[in-house]
């Protein structure tokens, strides 16, 4: 899936949509003021705002602010730690999976783990109503600022864990759940997928993407927080901070076991896997061993 993704027909279209978020589209904020505020977020190095008891055992990216996805604001540009992934991800779901239309007017999307909001802004530019959830408060504050600055009424940034996306406000509410780059960061991927299943409408699609193990077996590798994969402590940009990394087959079986049907799984270039699953209709899940017994 990964190879040639920038040549996909929707890549340039989506890239063009991001020009909706350049300084000439600011509403009631002048460009210098906007840049100063964004650079203020970039200089944040703050564990207290996240209410951590012991910052020493917390993830660098939760304490020190790092920009997620490349963004050219016109008068200045920010490189993101995940590059143009917001564009390549959505182009893949549109062109390779035929799972997402280019026009999302009238559709509701839940974007889980939105970081600085690259995918959320892009989904809004495609016409969707987007609820963007992120467990790190400083990123949500930044995205909320951009929502106001660019006047994006369809965007609802929320400082929530995906595990809090339950109940009336979330159940049966979304046509799509974008669950990209998060599966391997969470402590209970089965419960996480079950929540995405519950949040969809019947017929809705879960668009998942994850780091993956190359095994052909249904294997889930433990890759706990002690494994640093890159970056340095001095720059506070170490990557890793994972829990469980599934193989493609484990991913498929996990999605089927929480209730999804028509699950399609495809490996991408470097140890990453895409998956799309449909909630045909709401079905129960095996209750034995569930970490949250009350989960719908
Ligand atoms: C690797 S980034 C992926 C960003 C984006 N979704 C993408 O695919 O490019 C993972 C993001 O998910 C957030 N995250 C991790 N676990 C989460 C959880 N349980 N609930 C909400 N956000 C979470 C992280 O803080 C981080 O911003």
């Amino acid at each position: 899936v990964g190879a040639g993704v920038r040549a996909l027909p929707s890549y340039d279209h989506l890239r063009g949509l991001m020009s909706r978020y350049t300084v000439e589209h600011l509403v009631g904020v002048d460009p210098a003021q906007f840049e100063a505020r964004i650079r203020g977020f970039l200089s944040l190095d703050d564990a207290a705002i996240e209410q951590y008891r012991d910052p020493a055992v917390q993830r660098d990216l939760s304490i020190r602010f790092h920009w997620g996805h490349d963004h050219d604001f016109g008068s200045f540009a920010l490189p993101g730690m995940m590059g143009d992934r917001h564009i390549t991800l959505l182009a893949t779901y549109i062109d390779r999976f035929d799972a997402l239309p280019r026009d999302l007017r009238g559709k509701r999307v839940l974007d889980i783990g939105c970081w600085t909001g690259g995918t959320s802004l892009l989904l809004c530019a495609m016409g969707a109503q987007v609820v963007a959830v992120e467990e790190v408060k400083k990123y949500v504050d930044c995205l909320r600022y951009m929502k106001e600055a660019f006047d994006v009424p369809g965007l609802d940034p929320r400082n929530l864990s995906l595990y809090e996306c339950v109940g009336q406000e979330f159940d049966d509410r979304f046509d799509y759940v974008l669950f990209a780059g998060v599966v391997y960061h969470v402590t209970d991927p089965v419960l996480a997928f079950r929540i995405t299943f519950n949040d969809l409408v019947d017929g809705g699609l879960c668009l998942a993407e994850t780091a993956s193990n190359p095994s052909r077996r249904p294997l889930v590798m433990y890759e706990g927080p002690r494994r640093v994969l890159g970056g340095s402590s001095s720059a506070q940009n170490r990557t890793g901070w994972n829990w469980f990394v599934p193989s493609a087959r484990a991913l498929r079986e996990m999605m089927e076991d929480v209730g999804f049907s028509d699950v399609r799984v495809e490996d991408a270039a470097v140890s990453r896997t895409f998956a799309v699953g449909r909630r045909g209709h709401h079905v129960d899940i095996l209750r034995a061993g569930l970490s949250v017994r009350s989960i719908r």
Side-chain angles (χ1 to χ4, degrees):
V1 169
V5 73
R6 287 183 191 86
L8 288 174
S10 296
Y11 183 86
D12 286 340
H13 167 71
L14 295 176
R15 203 180 170 78
L17 289 182
M18 285 305 287
S19 63
R20 153 84 178 81
Y21 307 107
T22 52
V23 291
E24 67 260 32
H25 295 102
L26 289 169
V27 178
V29 191
D30 82 75
Q33 198 186 353
F34 176 78
E35 180 172 351
R37 186 72 199 278
I38 293 292
R39 295 212 181 274
F41 282 113
L42 281 168
S43 67
L44 282 175
D45 186 350
D46 191 340
I49 193 185
E50 308 301 334
Q51 301 189 335
Y52 294 138
R53 186 159 65 96
D54 183 1
V57 298
Q58 303 307 329
R59 182 177 64 163
D60 287 0
L61 307 189
S62 302
I63 295 174
R64 163 119 199 261
F65 193 106
H66 290 274
W67 199 262
H69 304 98
D70 294 350
H71 198 132
D72 185 350
F73 288 105
S75 56
F76 70 107
L78 298 179
M81 282 185 77
M82 303 208 88
D84 62 352
R85 192 182 133 82
H86 53 314
I87 301 172
T88 59
L89 274 175
L90 298 192
T92 300
Y93 292 120
I94 295 171
D95 295 325
R96 290 263 163 92
F97 284 88
D98 199 18
L100 191 67
R102 283 188 184 189
D103 184 346
L104 287 172
R105 278 176 295 182
K107 302 294 180 193
R108 285 178 51 85
V109 183
L110 178 63
D111 186 4
I112 295 174
C114 63
W115 201 341
T116 47
T119 47
S120 317
L121 291 168
L122 189 47
L123 289 161
C124 285
M126 293 163 74
Q129 299 279 314
V130 178
V131 176
V133 301
E134 168 56 55
E135 65 179 3
V136 179
K137 182 174 185 302
K138 50 178 73 70
Y139 297 130
V140 178
D141 290 346
C142 178
L143 185 55
R144 211 170 269 144
Y145 175 69
M146 288 194 282
K147 166 196 160 72
E148 299 303 331
F150 291 114
D151 187 22
V152 192
L155 178 59
D156 183 11
R158 305 285 297 275
N159 181 208
L160 291 175
S161 165
L162 95 89
Y163 293 109
E164 295 168 299
C165 296
V166 295
Q168 236 180 9
E169 196 188 348
F170 290 93
D171 286 355
D172 309 318
R173 295 297 305 280
F174 297 92
D175 301 287
Y176 300 93
V177 174
L178 179 60
F179 189 26
V182 179
V183 172
Y184 50 101
H185 287 307
V186 300
T187 54
D188 188 335
V190 175
L191 182 68
F193 268 117
R194 179 64 180 180
I195 290 168
T196 69
F197 180 80
N198 286 341
D199 290 348
L200 286 164
V201 296
D202 285 348
L205 296 181
C206 176
L207 311 174
E209 189 275 347
T210 179
S212 56
N213 183 283
S215 174
R216 291 188 174 278
R217 298 165 55 215
L219 176 147
V220 178
M221 192 177 82
Y222 183 67
E223 193 179 274
R226 73 189 67 195
R227 287 198 184 72
V228 174
L229 303 180
S232 68
S233 56
S234 56
Q236 277 177 282
N237 66 350
R238 287 169 294 180
T239 55
W241 322 99
N242 301 334
W243 290 106
F244 300 106
V245 181
S247 68
R249 189 166 154 203
L251 183 67
R252 169 197 296 283
E253 293 185 9
M254 216 181 279
M255 289 180 72
E256 288 172 350
D257 290 341
V258 306
F260 286 110
S261 53
D262 307 329
V263 177
R264 286 183 290 153
V265 174
E266 280 196 45
D267 284 331
V270 197
S271 302
R272 307 286 300 199
T273 300
F274 281 79
V276 173
R278 177 178 301 279
R279 177 174 131 175
H281 58 278
H282 197 272
V283 292
D284 204 359
I285 183 175
L286 172 72
R287 297 271 147 195
L290 267 184
S291 55
V292 178
R293 292 174 68 200
S294 61
I295 203 72
R296 178 175 170 230

